[in-house]
Amino acid sequence: MAHKVVIVGAGFGGLSAAKALAGQKNLDVTIIDKRNHHLFQPLLYQVATAALSPADIATPIRAELTDKKNIQVLMAQVDGVNLKERTVSAGGEKHGYDYLILACGSSHSYFGHDEWETFAPGLKTLEQATEIRRRILLSFELAEKEKNPEKRKALMSFAIIGAGPTGVELAGSIAEIARVTFKKDFRNIDTLQSEVYLVEAGPRILSSFEEKLSKLAHTDLTNMGVNILCGAKVTAVDSEGLSFGDKKLASKTIIWAAGVAPSSLGTKLGVEVDRGGRVIVRSDWSLPTHKEVFIIGDMSSFTENGRPLPALAPVALQGGRFVARQILRDLNNKPREHFKYLDKGQMATIGRKKAILQFGSWKSSGFVAWIAWLLVHIYYLIGFKNKFFVLVSWSWSYLTFKKGARLIINKEWRD
Amino acid sequence: MAHKVVIVGAGFGGLSAAKALAGQKNLDVTIIDKRNHHLFQPLLYQVATAALSPADIATPIRAELTDKKNIQVLMAQVDGVNLKERTVSAGGEKHGYDYLILACGSSHSYFGHDEWETFAPGLKTLEQATEIRRRILLSFELAEKEKNPEKRKALMSFAIIGAGPTGVELAGSIAEIARVTFKKDFRNIDTLQSEVYLVEAGPRILSSFEEKLSKLAHTDLTNMGVNILCGAKVTAVDSEGLSFGDKKLASKTIIWAAGVAPSSLGTKLGVEVDRGGRVIVRSDWSLPTHKEVFIIGDMSSFTENGRPLPALAPVALQGGRFVARQILRDLNNKPREHFKYLDKGQMATIGRKKAILQFGSWKSSGFVAWIAWLLVHIYYLIGFKNKFFVLVSWSWSYLTFKKGARLIINKEWRD
């Protein structure tokens, strides 16, 4: 009889595991996700800043796996896992498994201030990206009509909290919208007067990069008109703006790019987790107490050389492929292997023709790094169509200085 | 001093009027729309059926008019017009005018049953299109999980009320999704068993076309698996389905493509309207009582040869350009002209390689009409980018039999 494999989550980790298990006749695979699409999160900030359409960076999970006859796709919310019973509860039903791969990713952490989310959405889903796009574009529209100079200033002030790659990319893109895309579009406001604030609690931006690159990015962003506030720990966020200690910053558009919290499914398992709530796994990504359960990607705490692996797409991708191989090894009575992360380095784009990239001791910045960034992202995008459309969208934006998806879509479909 | 022109609505009528008034130094033009984008409504059904992305058929009004220095764009809801004072109230402010062009289009009429809208959204905006897309795609996902055969059947039954061009295009596209796009994507359901119902109160579909073409389309749709129910006047719509007299049809996805109601701004003017609520205008599209006020497009009742002009894009486009010219003639002390509609014919697409088209006494159907339909729609789409992307999307879909925007986007951005 076929062995049952249940995969929860169709992000980089889950989808790569599923693909690696395709065509195995003795395996009956079910992949469960609450959404119908796999999302290429590294480009989500481009949807939030009106450069790409949601469909450009998403692909239907079903379409990706249509020819893989041993794989079934289920769109459902997973409510819990029973490790003893070996079942997953999803959409009111229990799904038994012989092997379980949990790859549910992460969402935002507001450090105990969940009430801030209303005023400062995070950027993890297409819904959040279109909401952020709506807020950014709408702010300029409201500023154009606003007569009160103080209110107008707050509408033309954009604050991004957290200066990791996403925060930096958002700040750069919003500065570009204000200074380039919108330059001639308004009559009552001068969009060059817009202010973009990048607010970081730590001492420098892009702290996961080497200091030299981080400084380069700092200079580039400053030249693009971004105000970088380091050592600024946010203490309050509301509809009028944000505070750090005594200082207040009036801003009607705030975006949260700071804390990351792993999926709560991990902490609910009742197994050991690290300080951040990520599940501690063995050298084959399995639970120390259950070798048939693998936890991969952002929700997993995998220690290599004494340090946990970062929450990056390559870690999830490699983890997914690795655990699929371990399942096949089990079935062939071969011993499990130890996972070894192949470091793909890291990169962040800052703006037109500007990026930084770090690969081991090799560093690059400026135009070369920017081209590398473009190529790597195109290469990893799933599907010919997405690759092609994103490439063409980027070429068009590069040549025309325009944004291709400048839409304010209301939340309510009724007029 | 410059004369003030206020245009309400940036659809085909309003935008073409604005463009025709661009560069006139003695004219100070304000165009007001509640959205930030001009929408190419003829292709909206393709967004609703996952073939195109919202940004493919929309263009920011500001970007369209960025170089027209005498034109100001205002994103605001218009609350009313005071014909005596010559002011328009929008967004809490009054805008005085010397000339007013009202081009607010139409929305759906539920014939006194507004409570049906919840269960059967219409298709006039991008918000409605993505909501319909969500419902269509989600129905298949829910059917895949549904064990009860009756409930599954209702989930796989799609009802479109109204068999004008939009209804026909929706029915054809949904049948295509079920029979072609989704053919191999599901494991528990056979999407070929889906039922698409096209429900029409009148005796035949596409009643604005000649009977011969309407019959051809009827045959084509039937061959594609669409169930056409003519003479079926809907008497109830709820969450379970719809009724026409004694007959019930269980369907979880219902789309309203029947009645059209002109913008209520027309009836609120206090001037003469026709039975459908459209404002009666003179041969120059102006109000009989106020020659400085023009009403164009779907909200206007323009009688030519004893019959009102249809609510079609070419009528609005030509009307917009015409009234702009009349304003310029006034300023040059030339007499007003009489509008003459240049009939561009009408067309409807039914499916892959199938369309009908009627131009005066000239008729065409099948592949030739389909190619003509494609070319005309590409030609009229605004902007190089939209033309190019839609053309490429269509080519890709044609070659791969896939839909490029199969996204279920939730209504709430919070998880």
Side-chain angles (χ1 to χ4, degrees):
Chain A
M1 223 191 75
H3 290 74
K4 289 209 66 170
V5 181
V6 171
I7 303 172
V8 182
F12 289 116
L15 196 58
S16 69
K19 285 184 172 176
L21 294 172
Q24 299 289 338
K25 279 181 191 137
N26 54 344
L27 287 181
D28 193 349
V29 181
T30 300
I31 182 163
I32 310 176
D33 198 292
K34 60 182 164 185
R35 288 169 211 272
N36 83 324
H37 52 269
H38 166 79
L39 178 63
F40 191 75
Q41 278 186 347
L43 290 179
L44 200 51
Y45 82 96
Q46 296 219 352
V47 173
T49 52
L52 293 175
S53 277
D56 294 335
I57 61 161
T59 185
I61 301 163
R62 260 178 219 298
E64 266 316 292
L65 300 168
T66 186
D67 292 325
K68 323 294 185 201
K69 292 297 171 204
N70 68 324
I71 303 179
Q72 173 156 356
V73 179
L74 187 65
M75 182 179 162
Q77 170 83 45
V78 169
D79 305 310
V81 173
N82 189 323
L83 293 175
K84 236 184 188 164
E85 257 184 43
R86 298 195 178 181
T87 56
V88 172
S89 302
E93 257 195 281
K94 281 191 178 179
H95 300 267
Y97 64 79
D98 297 308
Y99 286 99
L100 174 65
I101 301 171
L102 289 182
C104 312
S106 54
S107 61
H108 281 285
S109 160
Y110 287 83
F111 307 127
H113 289 282
D114 287 353
E115 71 278 11
W116 294 353
E117 192 187 10
T118 306
F119 315 110
L123 185 59
K124 283 279 178 190
T125 66
L126 286 176
E127 287 83 358
Q128 290 166 338
T130 42
E131 170 65 11
I132 289 171
R133 180 179 73 181
R134 192 182 71 80
R135 292 185 185 201
I136 295 170
L137 299 179
L138 195 56
S139 278
F140 287 100
E141 297 292 338
L142 294 174
E144 172 84 348
K145 290 189 278 185
E146 183 59 60
K147 300 239 155 40
N148 179 318
E150 226 168 282
K151 287 186 182 169
R152 195 166 56 226
K153 192 158 181 267
L155 284 166
M156 291 171 69
S157 294
F158 301 84
I160 296 109
I161 302 172
T166 299
V168 163
E169 286 162 344
L170 281 169
S173 297
I174 297 173
E176 226 170 61
I177 288 178
R179 281 159 195 269
V180 185
T181 317
F182 278 180
K183 206 175 163 189
K184 287 160 48 189
D185 280 6
F186 291 81
R187 302 290 180 257
N188 301 328
I189 57 171
D190 176 5
T191 60
L192 295 178
Q193 304 293 318
S194 309
E195 298 284 0
V196 180
Y197 297 92
L198 184 58
V199 182
E200 168 61 41
R204 63 181 177 99
I205 66 167
L206 296 168
S207 60
S208 66
F209 288 80
E210 282 191 20
E211 199 156 348
K212 197 188 145 193
L213 287 175
S214 151
K215 270 188 189 159
L216 268 175
H218 192 113
T219 310
D220 280 343
L221 280 171
T222 308
N223 290 341
M224 289 168 70
V226 175
N227 306 288
I228 301 175
L229 310 173
C230 284
K233 201 167 172 258
V234 173
T235 50
V237 179
D238 61 26
S239 66
E240 300 306 316
L242 50 91
S243 312
F244 21 99
D246 306 341
K247 282 193 195 145
K248 274 196 188 222
L249 181 62
S251 164
K252 293 301 252 182
T253 312
I254 308 171
I255 308 171
W256 189 261
V260 164
S263 161
S264 63
L265 209 61
T267 43
K268 285 198 288 184
L269 286 176
V271 298
E272 202 187 347
V273 297
D274 71 7
R275 271 202 318 167
R278 306 198 301 170
V279 178
I280 292 170
V281 293
R282 285 192 292 201
S283 66
D284 62 356
W285 296 96
S286 71
L287 277 184
T289 51
H290 292 80
K291 70 177 296 214
E292 75 281 9
V293 178
F294 299 96
I295 324 274
I296 58 172
D298 288 9
M299 65 185 291
S300 183
S301 180
F302 187 101
T303 304
E304 194 175 65
N305 306 327
R307 278 176 28 187
L309 290 179
L312 290 174
V315 177
L317 274 168
Q318 292 174 34
R321 283 194 290 257
F322 177 88
V323 302
R325 196 165 65 234
Q326 303 318 304
I327 293 172
L328 301 179
R329 288 178 73 89
D330 276 11
L331 301 182
N332 291 316
N333 296 313
K334 287 185 186 162
R336 295 257 176 114
E337 299 165 311
H338 301 285
F339 177 78
K340 180 96 198 59
Y341 176 52
L342 177 63
D343 191 353
K344 297 278 182 97
Q346 49 175 335
M347 46 192 11
T349 184
I350 296 147
R352 207 176 167 77
K353 299 197 245 177
K354 291 187 202 81
I356 59 173
L357 109 77
Q358 173 176 320
F359 178 67
S361 63
W362 191 68
K363 294 179 291 264
S364 172
S365 61
F367 187 66
V368 173
W370 185 69
I371 291 291
W373 181 92
L374 291 178
L375 294 177
V376 165
H377 283 75
I378 288 287
Y379 178 80
Y380 278 101
L381 253 183
I382 280 182
F384 163 77
K385 186 192 171 262
N386 299 58
K387 283 189 213 296
F388 179 77
F389 273 72
V390 169
L391 193 61
V392 175
S393 286
W394 285 351
S395 309
W396 178 82
S397 290
Y398 182 78
L399 294 171
T400 64
F401 292 85
K402 288 183 188 167
K403 299 274 178 189
R406 264 173 66 184
L407 292 186
I408 298 176
I409 305 268
N410 293 331
K411 288 189 271 189
E412 177 55 46
W413 60 268
R414 282 180 193 79
D415 257 352
Chain B
M1 223 190 74
H3 289 75
K4 288 210 66 169
V5 181
V6 171
I7 303 172
V8 182
F12 290 116
L15 196 58
S16 69
K19 285 184 174 176
L21 293 173
Q24 300 289 338
K25 282 183 190 135
N26 54 344
L27 286 182
D28 192 349
V29 181
T30 301
I31 181 163
I32 309 175
D33 198 291
K34 61 183 162 183
R35 287 168 213 273
N36 83 324
H37 52 269
H38 166 80
L39 178 63
F40 192 75
Q41 278 186 347
L43 289 180
L44 199 51
Y45 81 96
Q46 296 218 354
V47 173
T49 53
L52 292 176
S53 277
D56 294 335
I57 62 161
T59 186
I61 301 162
R62 257 177 222 299
E64 267 315 295
L65 300 169
T66 186
D67 291 326
K68 323 294 185 200
K69 293 296 172 204
N70 67 325
I71 303 179
Q72 173 155 356
V73 179
L74 187 65
M75 182 178 163
Q77 170 82 45
V78 170
D79 304 311
V81 173
N82 189 324
L83 292 176
K84 235 182 191 169
E85 256 184 43
R86 298 194 178 182
T87 57
V88 172
S89 302
E93 258 194 280
K94 281 192 177 179
H95 300 267
Y97 63 79
D98 298 307
Y99 286 98
L100 174 65
I101 302 172
L102 289 182
C104 312
S106 54
S107 60
H108 281 285
S109 161
Y110 287 83
F111 307 128
H113 290 280
D114 286 351
E115 72 278 11
W116 293 354
E117 191 187 11
T118 306
F119 315 110
L123 185 59
K124 284 278 178 190
T125 65
L126 286 176
E127 286 83 358
Q128 291 167 338
T130 42
E131 170 65 11
I132 290 171
R133 179 179 73 181
R134 192 182 72 80
R135 292 186 184 201
I136 295 170
L137 299 179
L138 194 57
S139 279
F140 287 99
E141 296 292 338
L142 295 173
E144 172 83 348
K145 291 189 280 186
E146 183 58 61
K147 300 239 156 39
N148 178 318
E150 226 167 281
K151 287 186 183 170
R152 197 165 55 225
K153 193 160 180 267
L155 283 166
M156 292 170 68
S157 294
F158 301 84
I160 295 108
I161 303 172
T166 299
V168 163
E169 286 162 344
L170 281 169
S173 296
I174 298 173
E176 226 169 61
I177 287 177
R179 280 157 195 271
V180 186
T181 316
F182 279 180
K183 206 175 164 188
K184 288 160 50 190
D185 280 6
F186 292 83
R187 302 290 180 260
N188 302 328
I189 57 170
D190 176 5
T191 60
L192 295 178
Q193 304 292 319
S194 309
E195 298 284 1
V196 180
Y197 297 92
L198 184 59
V199 182
E200 168 62 41
R204 64 181 174 99
I205 67 167
L206 295 168
S207 60
S208 65
F209 288 79
E210 282 191 19
E211 200 155 350
K212 200 188 144 193
L213 288 175
S214 149
K215 271 188 187 158
L216 267 174
H218 192 115
T219 309
D220 281 342
L221 280 172
T222 309
N223 289 342
M224 289 167 70
V226 175
N227 305 287
I228 301 174
L229 310 173
C230 284
K233 198 167 173 258
V234 172
T235 49
V237 179
D238 61 28
S239 65
E240 301 304 318
L242 50 92
S243 312
F244 21 98
D246 307 341
K247 281 193 195 146
K248 276 195 188 224
L249 181 62
S251 163
K252 293 300 252 181
T253 312
I254 308 171
I255 307 171
W256 189 262
V260 165
S263 162
S264 62
L265 209 60
T267 42
K268 286 198 284 183
L269 288 176
V271 299
E272 202 187 348
V273 297
D274 71 6
R275 271 201 319 167
R278 306 199 299 170
V279 178
I280 291 170
V281 293
R282 284 191 292 201
S283 66
D284 61 358
W285 295 96
S286 71
L287 278 184
T289 51
H290 294 78
K291 69 178 297 217
E292 75 281 9
V293 178
F294 299 95
I295 324 273
I296 58 173
D298 287 10
M299 65 184 290
S300 184
S301 181
F302 186 102
T303 304
E304 192 175 68
N305 306 327
R307 278 172 33 183
L309 291 178
L312 290 174
V315 176
L317 273 169
Q318 293 174 32
R321 282 193 290 256
F322 176 89
V323 301
R325 197 166 65 234
Q326 303 318 303
I327 292 173
L328 299 180
R329 289 178 71 90
D330 276 11
L331 301 183
N332 291 316
N333 295 313
K334 287 185 184 161
R336 296 256 175 114
E337 299 166 311
H338 300 286
F339 177 78
K340 181 96 199 58
Y341 177 51
L342 177 64
D343 191 353
K344 296 278 181 97
Q346 50 177 334
M347 44 189 15
T349 182
I350 295 145
R352 209 177 165 75
K353 299 196 245 178
K354 291 186 202 83
I356 59 173
L357 106 80
Q358 172 176 320
F359 179 68
S361 63
W362 191 67
K363 293 178 293 264
S364 172
S365 61
F367 188 67
V368 172
W370 185 69
I371 291 291
W373 181 92
L374 290 179
L375 294 178
V376 165
H377 282 76
I378 288 285
Y379 178 80
Y380 277 103
L381 253 183
I382 280 182
F384 163 77
K385 186 193 171 260
N386 300 59
K387 282 188 213 298
F388 179 77
F389 273 72
V390 168
L391 193 61
V392 175
S393 286
W394 285 352
S395 309
W396 178 81
S397 290
Y398 181 78
L399 294 171
T400 63
F401 292 85
K402 287 182 188 169
K403 299 273 179 190
R406 266 173 66 184
L407 293 186
I408 298 177
I409 305 268
N410 293 331
K411 287 189 270 189
E412 177 56 46
W413 61 267
R414 282 182 194 78
D415 256 353

